[in-house]
Amino acid sequence: MHKRFAMLLWRALAIAAVGLAIVGTVLPVLPTVPFLLVAAWAAGKGWPAFERWLLDHAHFGPPIRRWRENGAVPRRAKWASTLMMAGSAIGLQFFAHIPLWTRIGVPVVMGCVAVWLWMRPEE
């Protein structure tokens, strides 16, 4: 019973992550590939057939395989992520009702993510 429940949780996480990835294809503020990576990881834990489908998918598969093989992030994705984070950090400063620690802390975290992202290998 415990094993079946765990499998259902992994499957639910995989489906939720794919759903968020699909939403991310139309919303520019929501990333797609990180959710696909989570979906493939979760599917690998409890739904191997779905993991195989994701890996073999014409659009979803290549970024997942690149990440699994050598942690690669395409240069275009690095630029897009960096520009979106910079735009968000700048835009955040125009909301005076947001606490100062948030207006400083969030851009610092995004800056750290950007540095980490640019340190990843490319194709």
Side-chain angles (χ1 to χ4, degrees):
M1 184 69 167
H2 172 71
K3 201 172 195 179
R4 180 154 173 79
F5 182 70
M7 181 186 65
L8 289 174
L9 286 177
W10 288 120
R11 288 181 176 196
L13 178 58
I15 290 171
V18 167
L20 289 170
I22 290 170
V23 170
T25 61
V26 293
L27 290 178
V29 296
L30 193 64
T32 301
V33 174
F35 288 115
L36 290 176
L37 296 175
V38 170
W41 171 74
K45 302 281 188 187
W47 202 352
F50 189 55
E51 177 191 29
R52 177 63 32 216
W53 180 82
L54 284 171
L55 291 170
D56 292 340
H57 193 276
H59 298 294
F60 301 154
I64 297 170
R65 286 193 302 274
R66 278 193 301 268
W67 178 259
R68 284 187 172 181
E69 289 167 5
N70 60 1
V73 178
R75 184 174 294 252
R76 182 176 176 199
K78 290 179 181 183
W79 276 111
S81 298
T82 302
L83 292 172
M84 285 185 187
M85 286 188 286
S88 297
I90 292 167
L92 187 63
Q93 304 311 310
F94 291 103
F95 295 95
H97 66 280
I98 296 176
L100 181 62
W101 68 269
T102 302
R103 289 187 295 157
I104 293 171
V106 170
V108 167
V109 170
M110 286 192 279
C112 292
V113 170
V115 168
W116 174 84
L117 185 63
W118 281 94
M119 293 175 68
R120 305 302 314 155
E122 295 177 7
E123 325 250 17

